[in-house]
Amino acid sequence: MNTLYHYPLSPFSRKVRLTLSEKKIEVELVEERYWEEDPDFMRRNPAGKVPVLKMGSRTLSDSNAICEYLEETHVTPALLPRNAEDRCEARRLVGWFDDKFYHDVTKKLTGERVFRKVMNTGYPDSTNVKEGARAIKYHLDYMAYLLDQRRWLAGNEMTFADFAAAAHLSCLDYTSDVDWNRHEVVKDWYAKIKSRPAFRSILADEVPGFQPSAQYADLDF
Amino acid sequence: MNTLYHYPLSPFSRKVRLTLSEKKIEVELVEERYWEEDPDFMRRNPAGKVPVLKMGSRTLSDSNAICEYLEETHVTPALLPRNAEDRCEARRLVGWFDDKFYHDVTKKLTGERVFRKVMNTGYPDSTNVKEGARAIKYHLDYMAYLLDQRRWLAGNEMTFADFAAAAHLSCLDYTSDVDWNRHEVVKDWYAKIKSRPAFRSILADEVPGFQPSAQYADLDF
C-alpha cells in the first residue's frame, strides 16, 4: 500500500492528493503534524515538510518532485501538455502558485488564521491578514485574465497548474477568504475542478476547531 | 539572439546561466533591476522576478520551468538522470535549495547584506543575519552527509541539484558567508563545479559597492 503523509490544509499536500486521485493511484492518507518535527517523520523528509509519499521502498518528498515523478511513471491521464513550450507555461504557473501566490496570499490568510493556532505560534498577525486580503484580489484578476483566453489556466487542457491553483484556493475557501463573485470566469473554473471525483476527499477535510465556510463543500456555491 | 534578463547575485538567475552555458546555448545577458518593476519587464514576467529567458518569439520565466524546458529541448548534456526515481531525487534537492535553503540562508545573508542596500529597503536585519549564519552550518552538514555517499549531490552524475546548490553557495561566497573549512567533501565538490567553464561568467560578476570576498574567483580557494 502507498502512504501519503499530509496535512489537510496544506496546499502542497492537496496538489499531490489531486494528482494521485486523477491518476487512480490508491493511497492511505496519514495526517502529519509536521511542525512537531517527530524524528520518524524527519527521517522521511529532512526538510520537515509535507507531503511525503511512500511507494513501496521509495520515500519521495517535495510536492513538485513527486508530481513530476507521478507524471513520468503513471502517464494517464497526462497532467502536463505534450509540447515543451506548453509544458513550460504549466510549470511556470505551478511555480507562480506554489511560490508567489503562497507567500503573498495563502501564508498570510490561511497561514495566519489556522496554522498560527494549530502550531501554537501566537495570534494572527493583522498586518499579514490585511496584505493577504489585498493581494488575493490582483491574483484573482490575473487568473481571470488567463481564463479569458484559455479553457484551463495553462492552456486548453487541465494541468498541474490547475491543481496547484485549486489546492491554494480550496484552503483559502475553507477560511472564507475567496470572493467568488469577483470574476465569473474564475468561479466557473473552480466549479469545474471542484466537481471532479478527485476533489471529494479534499471537500471532506476538517481541522478541529475550524469550521469550513458555508460554501466550502457545496458544488453549487 | 537569445536574451537572459538576470541579476548578478540572484541564485535563480545563476542556475539558469549555468544550464545555458553547459548546454552551449548562446545568450546575451541583460541585467535587470527587477524590484523597480519597470513596465516592460513586468510584461515579460508578471511575477516580477528574474530570470526571464527570451528565445526567438518565446518569453519564458520561472527558473525551474526554464531549466525543465531547456532539458527537454536541448538534451545534451543531460542535467537530470534517466531513471524516474533518480530524477525525483534531483528535483527534490532543487526544491530544497531554491525553497528551504533560500529562505533559511541566502535570503537572510546575501539578501540582508546586499539586496537591502541595492533595493534601498533599509539596513540589514541583524536577527536575520544571525539566523542565516546559524542555518548555513546545518545545511553544509546535510550537503556533506549527501556527498559522503555520492559523487554529486543527487547521485553519481552532475544534475540541476548541483547547479541550484552552487548558485546559492556562490552568492553566499561573494559575501564571505561560507566556511569552506567546515567539510572537506563540500569544498571539493564546490572546487569541481567552480572550475567548469560554465562558471566563468559567474566568477566575473560584480555588484557596484560590494567587493567580492578574496577567494570568490579563486579556483584554489
Side-chain angles (χ1 to χ4, degrees):
Chain A
M1 188 57 174
N2 307 313
T3 307
L4 185 76
Y5 300 88
H6 81 118
Y7 189 75
L9 285 182
S10 148
F12 309 102
S13 302
R14 286 182 169 206
K15 183 181 62 180
V16 171
R17 287 163 70 190
L18 289 170
T19 302
L20 288 163
S21 182
E22 285 286 339
K23 289 185 181 284
K24 306 217 180 340
I25 303 167
E26 285 198 30
V27 69
E28 185 196 5
L29 292 178
V30 173
E31 191 173 318
E32 185 66 52
R33 294 171 66 86
Y34 56 93
W35 57 89
E36 291 174 357
E37 303 192 349
D38 169 66
D40 270 354
F41 181 67
M42 293 300 284
R43 254 194 301 281
R44 285 185 204 109
N45 180 15
K49 292 182 182 177
V50 286
V52 171
L53 178 61
K54 217 168 161 320
M55 289 187 101
S57 62
R58 297 179 291 285
T59 302
L60 311 175
S61 61
D62 181 277
S63 72
N64 181 50
I66 294 173
C67 286
E68 294 275 356
Y69 175 82
L70 295 173
E71 182 71 1
E72 290 174 357
T73 54
H74 296 74
V75 294
T76 314
L79 293 172
L80 281 175
R82 296 183 75 144
N83 171 289
E85 212 174 311
D86 298 340
R87 293 161 77 83
C88 188
E89 175 65 356
R91 288 181 174 122
R92 173 183 80 85
L93 289 168
V94 171
W96 176 289
F97 286 101
D98 283 350
D99 180 16
K100 185 167 177 59
F101 188 95
Y102 172 70
H103 286 103
D104 284 359
V105 181
T106 320
K107 201 175 168 182
K108 292 188 169 165
L109 293 171
T110 310
E112 292 293 340
R113 293 194 207 281
V114 176
F115 285 84
R116 283 270 189 202
K117 195 165 172 196
V118 295
M119 290 180 176
N120 208 5
T121 56
Y123 290 100
D125 176 324
S126 63
T127 308
N128 280 342
V129 172
K130 266 183 223 152
E131 283 176 5
R134 197 165 47 233
I136 194 173
K137 290 182 189 168
Y138 71 74
H139 278 288
L140 290 172
D141 294 350
Y142 183 58
M143 290 180 72
Y145 161 80
L146 294 174
L147 290 166
D148 274 337
Q149 314 161 55
R150 305 165 172 182
R151 287 188 57 222
W152 295 92
L153 284 170
N156 289 328
E157 296 160 77
M158 185 181 70
T159 68
F160 285 129
D162 299 289
F163 287 3
H168 287 272
L169 284 174
S170 61
C171 293
L172 291 156
D173 191 35
Y174 190 100
T175 49
S176 303
D177 281 309
V178 188
D179 174 8
W180 293 113
N181 293 321
R182 192 171 173 86
H183 294 287
E184 206 178 330
V185 73
V186 176
K187 188 178 178 177
D188 289 348
W189 163 86
Y190 190 63
K192 208 160 56 171
I193 203 161
K194 191 177 183 180
S195 62
R196 299 184 77 82
F199 229 83
R200 267 180 222 150
S201 113
I202 284 173
L203 298 182
D205 275 347
E206 281 211 29
V207 175
F210 295 90
Q211 279 289 317
S213 63
Q215 80 282 357
Y216 178 70
D218 184 358
L219 296 183
D220 300 307
F221 57 108
Chain B
M1 187 56 175
N2 307 313
T3 308
L4 185 76
Y5 300 88
H6 82 120
Y7 190 74
L9 286 183
S10 147
F12 308 103
S13 302
R14 286 182 169 206
K15 183 180 61 179
V16 171
R17 286 163 71 191
L18 290 170
T19 302
L20 288 164
S21 182
E22 285 285 340
K23 289 185 180 284
K24 306 218 182 335
I25 303 167
E26 286 199 27
V27 70
E28 185 196 5
L29 292 179
V30 173
E31 192 173 317
E32 184 66 50
R33 294 169 68 85
Y34 57 93
W35 56 90
E36 291 174 356
E37 303 193 349
D38 169 65
D40 271 355
F41 181 67
M42 293 300 285
R43 255 194 300 281
R44 285 186 204 108
N45 180 15
K49 293 184 180 174
V50 287
V52 171
L53 178 63
K54 218 169 160 320
M55 289 186 101
S57 62
R58 297 180 291 284
T59 303
L60 311 174
S61 60
D62 183 277
S63 71
N64 182 49
I66 294 173
C67 286
E68 295 274 357
Y69 175 82
L70 295 173
E71 182 71 2
E72 289 174 359
T73 54
H74 296 74
V75 294
T76 315
L79 293 173
L80 281 176
R82 297 182 74 143
N83 171 289
E85 212 173 312
D86 297 340
R87 294 162 75 85
C88 189
E89 175 66 354
R91 288 182 175 122
R92 173 182 79 86
L93 288 167
V94 171
W96 176 288
F97 286 101
D98 283 350
D99 181 17
K100 186 168 175 61
F101 189 94
Y102 173 69
H103 286 103
D104 283 359
V105 181
T106 319
K107 201 175 169 184
K108 292 188 169 165
L109 293 171
T110 309
E112 291 293 340
R113 293 195 208 281
V114 176
F115 285 83
R116 282 269 189 203
K117 195 164 171 196
V118 296
M119 291 180 176
N120 208 6
T121 55
Y123 291 100
D125 177 324
S126 63
T127 309
N128 280 343
V129 172
K130 265 181 226 155
E131 284 176 5
R134 196 166 48 233
I136 194 174
K137 290 182 191 168
Y138 71 74
H139 278 289
L140 289 172
D141 294 350
Y142 183 57
M143 289 179 72
Y145 161 80
L146 295 175
L147 290 166
D148 274 337
Q149 314 162 54
R150 305 166 171 182
R151 286 189 57 223
W152 295 92
L153 284 170
N156 289 328
E157 295 159 77
M158 184 180 72
T159 67
F160 285 128
D162 300 288
F163 287 3
H168 287 272
L169 284 174
S170 62
C171 292
L172 291 157
D173 191 35
Y174 190 100
T175 49
S176 304
D177 282 309
V178 188
D179 174 7
W180 294 114
N181 293 321
R182 192 169 173 88
H183 293 288
E184 207 178 330
V185 74
V186 176
K187 188 178 178 177
D188 289 348
W189 163 86
Y190 191 61
K192 206 160 56 169
I193 202 161
K194 191 178 184 180
S195 63
R196 297 183 79 82
F199 229 83
R200 270 181 219 149
S201 113
I202 282 172
L203 299 182
D205 276 348
E206 281 211 27
V207 175
F210 296 89
Q211 281 289 316
S213 63
Q215 80 283 355
Y216 178 70
D218 185 358
L219 296 183
D220 300 308
F221 56 107

